[in-house]
Amino acid sequence: MSPAENQHPPGTPGDLWSIGQLAERAGVTVKTVRFYSDRGLLPEATRSGGGHRRYGPDALDRLRLIRSLRTLDLPVPDVGRVLGEEGALEDVIAGQLKEVGSRLAALRWREAALQLLTDCTPQERAERLRLVGAVSTPPGTAALARFWRCWLPARLPSRVVAAVVDRAVPVPPDAPAPAQVLAFARLQDFVTSPCFVSGPRAGTDYGQPEVHSSGKGYRPAVLYEGLPEAFELAAPDVRAGRAPREGEALDCFVAVHAAALNRRDTPDFRRALHRMLAAEPRVDRYWQLAAEVVTPPAEPAQPTPGAADNWLRAALGSADSEPHYGRVHTPT
């Protein structure tokens, strides 16, 4: 480099460095410096008379920052955002944390699935391989949501459908045990069976409940908006393993059905409701598997809406089931 190309000795405030000098100070290759320069991440201060790139001392700090960001596996476009936008670093880091979490969850699911295939007999392995092979990693819940949109009655308000789906679809754990992987695989297999692909069909084990039929006097939106309160009231008894019994939870459950039918809660109505509900098709297998998905082995199962519904139906069928009029229940 001629004196005309660099008028200041290295280390003085007026330094202009060649691409090779900058690379040497930063401990990288010339190719690396050129790569970031060509992508606009490392602007040059000027060009020499011969057209060679020249960089000021501030380029060294910028290059070191770029290298630090790239060490965290940030893509080049994200590095550009951090360098060019105020406050972009927090957003980029949040996005990277989410991506890393997703990759870790996928690895944990793969590990648990492989363990599941290891800890079984040769006779079980083929079926388990079929089931887990159909599950993405990390698993998605789109098939479960589709199942509920098929199961629910037509013309139900979208806000009610969204609320039911949110409560009914279990969130797969980030670090599952092998048994939870198997339960999720079985659950996905259940909802994608021929009975549900085109929607539940009348006349099958999974036909639509009476409340879903049009022209029966039901107001399904009233029912599905009101049932969560009854399930929440029943949850402590279900969690504690108490026998089904009369009380506030049952009164709320019956009141919601009565409101959906424009009927009064009377002993005759309770007997009729019990007979009607006892004859309805059930999806108990779904709720059993959903509970297994979210419950680690050796821990007590958390009460699902299906478990609470079963408990309340059993309470309704008890011989001494009578309404308690100390509280008026209205669907939310």
Side-chain angles (χ1 to χ4, degrees):
M1 180 169 58
S2 69
E5 293 176 289
N6 189 349
Q7 299 296 326
H8 306 276
T12 63
D15 280 349
L16 286 178
W17 298 332
S18 70
I19 192 170
Q21 289 173 319
L22 177 59
E24 182 180 358
R25 284 167 171 77
V28 300
T29 65
V30 169
K31 182 179 179 181
T32 296
V33 177
R34 185 175 291 114
F35 175 84
Y36 293 130
S37 293
D38 289 345
R39 280 154 183 78
L41 301 182
L42 190 64
E44 58 203 46
T46 186
R47 291 261 178 162
S48 70
H52 299 292
R53 308 175 202 235
R54 293 291 179 263
Y55 299 90
D58 59 330
L60 181 58
D61 290 337
R62 190 176 180 92
L63 182 54
R64 286 170 173 164
L65 175 59
I66 292 170
R67 294 290 293 163
S68 296
L69 295 172
R70 290 290 288 152
T71 300
L72 296 174
D73 282 339
L74 264 65
V76 171
D78 283 345
V79 173
R81 280 189 59 203
V82 172
L83 296 174
E85 298 178 21
E86 186 72 26
L89 180 59
E90 289 76 9
D91 290 342
V92 169
I93 290 175
Q96 286 295 300
L97 283 173
K98 183 177 181 180
E99 181 181 336
V100 169
S102 180
R103 294 206 303 263
L104 286 174
L107 289 173
R108 292 184 185 113
W109 273 79
R110 285 178 57 191
E111 180 184 33
L114 291 170
Q115 193 64 48
L116 180 70
L117 296 173
T118 300
D119 300 337
C120 66
T121 66
Q123 293 75 22
E124 294 173 316
R125 189 163 294 130
E127 176 64 7
R128 290 189 176 188
L129 186 58
R130 180 188 71 82
L131 289 170
V132 300
V135 176
S136 61
T137 53
T141 56
L144 310 186
R146 281 196 302 270
F147 162 78
W148 281 104
R149 292 190 178 98
C150 288
W151 176 259
L152 292 170
R155 295 182 296 280
L156 202 61
S158 58
R159 59 181 172 77
V160 179
V161 173
V164 172
V165 170
D166 185 60
R167 289 191 299 269
V169 174
V171 177
D174 287 336
Q180 290 172 288
V181 171
L182 181 59
F184 187 89
R186 285 172 171 165
L187 183 59
Q188 180 171 283
D189 186 63
F190 176 78
V191 301
T192 55
S193 69
C195 291
F196 297 119
V197 170
S198 300
R201 297 188 296 273
T204 70
D205 290 341
Y206 305 113
Q208 293 280 341
E210 190 75 11
V211 67
H212 296 180
S213 304
S214 59
K216 299 293 185 180
Y218 263 109
R219 294 185 293 165
V222 172
L223 180 67
Y224 280 100
E225 284 186 300
L227 282 176
E229 181 185 3
F231 296 160
E232 184 176 347
L233 290 170
D237 287 327
V238 176
R239 189 179 293 109
R242 300 188 186 100
R245 58 189 177 87
E246 60 184 16
E248 186 179 22
L250 178 60
D251 288 350
C252 180
F253 181 72
V254 174
V256 169
H257 279 277
L261 279 167
N262 290 309
R263 299 278 300 277
R264 290 178 56 247
D265 180 1
T266 66
D268 285 343
F269 174 76
R270 291 192 173 212
R271 284 189 287 270
L273 180 63
H274 172 62
R275 289 193 297 270
M276 184 188 73
L277 295 181
E280 282 187 350
R282 306 287 297 148
V283 285
D284 289 332
R285 179 62 171 163
Y286 178 97
W287 293 116
Q288 174 194 343
L289 293 170
E292 293 176 11
V293 168
V294 299
T295 306
E299 290 189 13
Q302 294 300 309
T304 63
D309 188 62
N310 282 342
W311 189 93
L312 289 162
R313 290 179 185 227
L316 180 63
S318 62
D320 59 345
S321 175
E322 296 289 345
H324 291 249
Y325 296 108
R327 176 182 173 196
V328 176
H329 296 277
T330 56
T332 56

